[in-house]
Each structure stands twice: as structure tokens, then as C-alpha cells.
Amino acid sequence: MTSIAIVGAGPQLGLAIARTFGSQGYDVALIARNRAKLDDLVATLTAEGITAAAFPADVLDRDALTQALKDAATRFGGIDVLEYSPVGTFGVTNLTAPAATAPSDVEFEMNFQLYGAIAATQAVLPAMREAGAGTLLYTTGAGSIWPDPRVANVNAAAAALRNWAMNLHKELLGTGIQAAHVGIDSSIGVSILPGVEAARPEQISPMYWELHTTRRDEDELVFKLDDKGFPRG
């Protein structure tokens, strides 16, 4: 049986990724802070014939995150794909311009993005190494590649995660395990920053399946909308 663990699962991109993999017969482990929201996602997926289960955990609580992934592995007989994309920036942390950024402005985002991803990876990678197979996917906004001064503190942490993920890809070459970064150059669902277009989550989610199946030699895909609103990446 094959399975995917989605860390930061929500009703937008997380649900779309769950549907993309679930439609291919994958069991889906959903990890996020809010149990009630996770239960709603599980009910939605179950109604669509997808096997899914909720494992509540906060990515800032390393022990809880590790335990959630271990519980998911026990429930589904292992984790074949890890997807890390928690979203908590807007309304949770102050967004700062570069010159106004203090170390404390970056600290939360580093904990949320980079350190959480490292902890999640450490929870699943040993079993993947033993199996000689697996996929590790890490999502950020495209500010990790093309910085936006309106969100400098977020971009700094996202760039750190991107760098680490691409280095991990190099380290894992030849092991049967792929690590890759997904950069999303759009808002998801609704536009948040002026000038940044919104994409539908189902336009983005196929990229994750492509990385897992047909583009395993790549360490990064970037999602963009063309001038007609169609995805390219």
C-alpha cells in the first residue's frame, strides 16, 4: 500500500494534493493543528472514496510532529511521500520590509518553515533509506527564489528551506529517494498581495504527482500562471 503524509493540510492546496494522490490509490495522512478542520477534510476525502486519516500536530512542537508522522506510518504501513507546506504567515506573524526586519521577525518563520521541515524529514527519512525509495517535497512561495520586499522576513526563511531541500536532493542522489522544492508564484484561492495573481489549488497539485512519478531527477519545480491564467511550470 502507498501513502502520502501532508504536513500543513488545509482546504486549499493540502486538499488538492490529497485528491491528486488519493485518486491514484494512495492513502492520505493529514497533519495540521486543528483537529476539527482535519476531520472535515477526512470526511470530504472519504466521501470521494479516498482513504484518509487525521493526525493533529503543530509543526512548532517537534515531538508532536514526529509522533504524528510515526502514528501515520503505523496506520498506513509506512510513508512513501512527505509533503511539507504549512501556512500560517498571514495573521500570525508581522510581515516586514528588509531594512525593518529584526532577528525576531525571522525567528518564527525559520521555526515554522525550515526547522519544522527538518523535523518532519528526520521522522520519515530513516524508513525511506531502509526501503531505498521515497519522495520528500517542500513547498514555499516563489519569494524564496525571487524575493518580494513586502515579505522579507518570510522570504528569508523560505529561501533557507529551498536551499536545504535542494542540498538534500544532492545528498540523496542514487538512493532511490527524491527531495525537491516546489515554488508557488501565485496566491492560492484568493489574491492576498497586490499584483500577485491567485491560482486554483487543483491547478498546482499535479506538479507534486509529476515530481513523484515522472520528474524524479529534478530538484525544483516552479508554478506560474501565464498571461491567460493557465499554469506553467
Side-chain angles (χ1 to χ4, degrees):
M1 189 64 70
T2 48
S3 63
I4 179 172
I6 301 172
V7 179
Q12 294 279 352
L13 182 59
L15 179 58
I17 294 171
R19 283 172 166 153
T20 295
F21 280 79
S23 66
Q24 299 295 327
Y26 278 61
D27 295 332
V28 179
L30 302 170
I31 299 172
R33 289 171 295 179
N34 189 308
R35 178 68 194 232
K37 290 182 179 179
L38 288 179
D39 288 343
D40 287 343
L41 295 178
V42 169
T44 297
L45 293 168
T46 300
E48 296 173 7
I50 295 170
T51 300
F55 302 89
D58 189 330
V59 298
L60 298 177
D61 184 337
R62 309 286 181 252
D63 291 339
L65 177 58
T66 298
Q67 189 60 53
L69 286 162
K70 288 182 177 179
D71 291 344
T74 298
R75 170 73 177 270
F76 294 129
I79 298 297
D80 301 282
V81 182
L82 171 71
E83 193 281 319
Y84 187 88
S85 57
V87 177
T89 298
F90 297 98
V92 176
T93 188
N94 292 324
L95 305 179
T96 62
T101 300
S104 59
D105 295 319
V106 181
E107 184 177 13
F108 173 83
E109 286 297 324
M110 288 292 286
N111 271 296
F112 193 72
Q113 296 195 61
L114 177 62
Y115 303 153
I118 291 173
T121 302
Q122 289 177 338
V124 302
L125 183 56
M128 290 183 177
R129 285 189 184 276
E130 185 175 347
T135 302
L136 303 162
L137 303 175
Y138 309 92
T139 303
T140 74
S144 61
I145 309 166
W146 306 296
D148 185 330
R150 294 172 293 182
V151 288
N153 55 328
V154 176
N155 287 174
L161 174 54
R162 174 180 183 254
N163 179 282
W164 179 81
M166 296 174 81
N167 261 333
L168 183 60
H169 176 91
K170 293 178 180 179
E171 180 186 352
L172 294 175
L173 285 173
T175 66
I177 305 166
Q178 178 197 26
H181 168 250
V182 178
I184 301 177
D185 192 20
S186 70
S187 297
I188 302 174
V190 295
S191 182
I192 297 174
L193 292 174
V196 179
E197 292 184 79
R200 299 188 310 277
E202 59 270 19
Q203 291 178 295
I204 304 170
S205 60
M207 297 179 67
Y208 295 84
W209 183 252
E210 291 175 15
L211 282 167
H212 176 56
T213 55
T214 62
R215 304 178 73 166
R216 295 191 59 79
D217 60 333
E218 299 186 43
D219 60 4
E220 180 174 67
L221 288 182
V222 179
F223 175 88
K224 294 176 68 70
L225 292 171
D226 64 20
D227 56 5
K228 295 182 179 180
F230 292 102
R232 55 189 176 93

